[in-house]
Amino acid sequence: MNPLVQPAPRGPLLGVNIDHVATLRNARGGDHPDPVRAALHALRGGADIITFHLREDRRHIRDADVHRLREQVHAPLNFESALTPEMLDIIDGMRPAMVCLVPERRQELTTEGGLDVRGQFERVRDACARLGASDCRVSLFIEADAQQIDAAAASGAPCVELHTGAFADALEAGDTQLAQRQLERLREGIARARAAGLQTNAGHGLTLRSTPELARMPEIRELHIGHALVGHALFVGLEQAVRDFKACIESA
């Protein structure tokens, strides 16, 4: 069994996504704020995993950031990536502990929706085999949809990360009925994934308000959080922001 695929001792592990630090840096150019320095501060605050997304257009994380993360961050790195030959080559060279394959469209502000594993099954299966041979634990970022979950299980990926955006957005908007429907959909997806032998992670759009609902589900092993955590850090500092989200997870 892969040693990275195991239960977290006190609720889900927290993966901190540093993309938005790089977005702020790139808005003005130069080197500040440095996403690698942010990763180190996040670890001091208690982050378990550092997550980043190297996009094809390099809008936030850059190739140099990836190399520096590999050299300076001595913690599991979760490399989010589109399913492209260029990205698979980069991952092969870097060999991060974790890879999460995600959909990517150039016009989107952030990742919208889950990967269509069923519709491009052979490409996903081949990528899972290739990355697994490089000792990367592969996760597929998908919707809590029965067909996508079944396809993910058949592809050879050991993990899925369920897209929580619709639930988190409904909760923040105060639409409790829609939030409950989305939460039940996530519960059903989690149960199906676990029955198929998949480690189940979750992420996207989670805030201090919505995180506890996912954190109290014992089947979820990792939560990957970025935008809300970095936004919170503007007011309390990055290390404290991580501590706040960790406390939120552990108290749930």
Side-chain angles (χ1 to χ4, degrees):
M1 180 178 179
N2 189 318
L4 293 171
V5 182
Q6 56 186 318
R10 298 182 64 189
L13 300 177
L14 174 60
V16 174
N17 188 312
I18 59 170
D19 293 349
H20 301 287
V21 178
T23 297
L24 184 59
R25 174 196 62 187
N26 297 353
R28 184 162 180 169
D31 299 325
H32 305 287
D34 178 12
V36 178
R37 184 180 177 190
L40 296 173
H41 277 273
L43 292 173
R44 283 197 286 271
D48 302 294
I49 301 162
I50 298 299
T51 296
F52 61 93
H53 184 174
L54 183 65
R55 283 180 171 265
E56 290 184 272
D57 60 10
R58 308 312 199 260
R59 71 175 67 169
H60 36 64
I61 296 296
R62 299 169 178 165
D63 295 72
D65 299 326
V66 174
H67 293 300
R68 291 174 57 233
L69 285 165
R70 182 62 170 168
E71 292 171 357
Q72 299 180 35
V73 176
H74 304 297
L77 295 175
N78 181 39
F79 191 133
E80 292 185 345
S81 168
L83 188 59
T84 66
E86 178 197 19
M87 290 300 156
L88 294 179
D89 286 344
I90 291 171
I91 294 167
D92 261 346
M94 181 187 179
R95 297 197 172 200
M98 306 171 182
V99 176
C100 185
L101 297 177
V102 303
E104 186 175 310
R105 290 180 288 277
R106 288 182 181 267
Q107 295 80 14
E108 66 188 2
L109 293 176
T110 185
T111 303
E112 297 172 355
L115 185 69
D116 182 10
V117 181
R118 184 168 179 263
Q120 50 183 336
F121 178 77
E122 291 185 359
R123 290 182 64 207
V124 174
R125 180 195 60 198
D126 292 347
C128 289
R130 176 178 175 179
L131 296 174
S134 295
D135 295 324
C136 301
R137 190 211 68 184
V138 183
S139 178
L140 305 178
F141 184 71
I142 61 174
E143 298 290 342
D145 173 84
Q147 292 184 333
Q148 295 296 340
I149 292 167
D150 291 349
S155 74
C159 305
V160 291
E161 180 177 333
L162 297 185
H163 183 279
T164 56
F167 159 69
D169 290 347
L171 194 64
E172 291 298 320
D175 191 338
T176 55
Q177 290 186 342
L178 177 58
Q180 284 302 314
R181 289 198 298 271
Q182 292 296 335
L183 190 60
E184 184 57 34
R185 181 170 178 256
L186 286 166
R187 287 196 183 101
E188 292 173 358
I190 290 164
R192 192 177 190 96
R194 295 296 292 173
L198 295 168
Q199 174 171 312
T200 310
N201 308 327
H204 197 81
L206 294 175
T207 65
L208 286 169
R209 182 181 180 188
S210 51
T211 293
E213 294 289 350
L214 280 299
R216 63 174 55 104
M217 298 181 186
E219 301 87 355
I220 293 180
R221 298 302 181 223
E222 299 167 13
L223 290 173
H224 294 274
I225 303 173
H227 185 264
L229 190 152
V230 172
H232 183 48
L234 294 176
F235 302 99
V236 303
L238 186 53
E239 290 183 36
Q240 186 59 49
V242 175
R243 291 188 192 103
D244 290 346
F245 272 87
K246 285 285 286 187
C248 180
I249 289 170
E250 292 176 359
S251 65

